[in-house]
Amino acid sequence: GAGVSQSPSNKVTEKGKDVELRCDPISGHTALYWYRQSLGQGLEFLIYFQGNSAPDKSGLPSDRFSAERTGGSVSTLTIQRTQQEDSAVYLCASSFLRDYEQYFGPGTRLTVT
Amino acid sequence: RKEVEQDPGPFNVPEGATVAFNCTYSNSASQSFFWYRQDCRKEPKLLMSVYSSGNEDGRFTAQLNRASQYISLLIRDSKLSDSATYLCVVKSGGSNYKLTFGKGTLLTVNP
């Protein structure tokens, strides 16, 4: 079956611009996660959605970052006024339920110039 | 102290070698433990879960020592296709969904 898909695969943007990253989870998966992988750093948790519950936003690095999940499926991560330190690979994952295996998408490579 | 620490590597080994990766975690309340594999410029994929009793999957053996907060992965008879970054991953004790990753150890298996 189809895995987690993300778009765009690559995004180059100028400092100060806003960007939107999209994630399509595996059909039927109720849990969705965003992670970030920066050069030389491990993956770090950003945000978690589970059904209609309030998301866990504890990993978002600043108020320039926000995410939403519409209709319990597709999610969008928005970064406002991008900075060079936002350059990273943004990975989305989904799982059937909270405690189940998380499957990762191919990521969006964001470069802020 | 970082939540999950791994051997920095990189490891370069010949085909057929046995290689071991070590990892420690700081949160004693952590409940679940995993090894993920990440190929260059690809997404991480679950390699295996790690249980206190130890578990084996073919050439791969994972061990967990809760008292020492230590996790290991052993690869026997390494293949060229084992070349990848190996990530030690822990699920936080307070939230059984947030994965905390080590920085990973790069393995290159040479012919």
Side-chain angles (χ1 to χ4, degrees):
Chain A
V4 177
S5 61
Q6 293 186 244
S7 60
S9 55
N10 283 283
K11 176 72 176 178
V12 180
T13 190
E14 292 180 352
K15 178 181 171 181
K17 301 281 190 185
D18 297 352
V19 295
E20 281 192 357
L21 312 179
R22 177 187 168 105
C23 172
D24 281 90
I26 293 172
S27 178
H29 280 195
T30 63
L32 187 147
Y33 318 78
W34 283 96
Y35 293 86
R36 177 170 75 171
Q37 188 169 31
S38 305
L39 190 63
Q41 301 295 319
L43 279 89
E44 56 177 336
F45 167 83
L46 297 177
I47 189 169
Y48 159 72
F49 295 91
Q50 173 65 61
N52 295 321
S53 302
D56 175 356
K57 305 179 182 180
S58 60
L60 294 179
S62 79
D63 59 8
R64 296 186 295 105
F65 288 71
S66 62
E68 61 179 23
R69 189 179 184 193
T70 53
S73 181
V74 171
S75 177
T76 302
L77 177 69
T78 301
I79 309 173
Q80 295 179 311
R81 304 181 303 282
T82 52
Q83 303 296 311
Q84 288 187 330
E85 61 262 28
D86 299 335
S87 296
V89 176
Y90 289 82
L91 290 154
C92 176
S94 71
S95 62
F96 177 61
L97 291 172
R98 190 181 76 170
D99 296 345
Y100 284 57
E101 179 182 349
Q102 295 180 26
Y103 294 84
F104 284 81
T108 294
R109 184 172 298 274
L110 175 66
T111 303
V112 182
T113 61
Chain B
R1 180 183 175 189
K2 293 192 185 304
E3 286 195 61
V4 180
E5 294 203 60
Q6 295 185 238
D7 288 335
F11 288 9
N12 284 279
V13 303
E15 269 187 292
T18 295
V19 60
F21 300 110
N22 302 313
C23 170
T24 56
Y25 60 96
S26 61
N27 186 348
S28 60
S30 298
Q31 298 174 340
S32 306
F33 310 89
F34 311 91
W35 285 100
Y36 274 69
R37 171 193 168 128
Q38 186 172 26
D39 293 293
C40 186
R41 301 180 79 88
K42 299 285 189 182
E43 71 272 23
K45 292 184 179 178
L46 178 65
L47 178 64
M48 58 197 302
S49 300
V50 188
Y51 305 111
S52 297
S53 54
N55 49 301
E56 188 173 308
D57 182 3
R59 299 181 292 107
F60 298 81
T61 301
Q63 295 276 356
L64 167 65
N65 184 321
R66 284 188 183 270
S68 304
Q69 296 178 203
Y70 171 88
I71 307 163
S72 66
L73 175 68
L74 186 76
I75 305 176
R76 293 181 300 277
D77 187 23
S78 52
K79 312 291 185 190
L80 296 178
S81 58
D82 294 334
S83 297
T85 295
Y86 290 83
L87 302 164
C88 179
V89 185
V90 172
K91 260 191 187 177
S92 307
S95 62
N96 200 30
Y97 53 81
K98 190 184 301 184
L99 298 180
T100 301
F101 288 79
K103 287 188 178 183
T105 304
L106 176 62
L107 171 67
T108 302
V109 181
N110 301 301

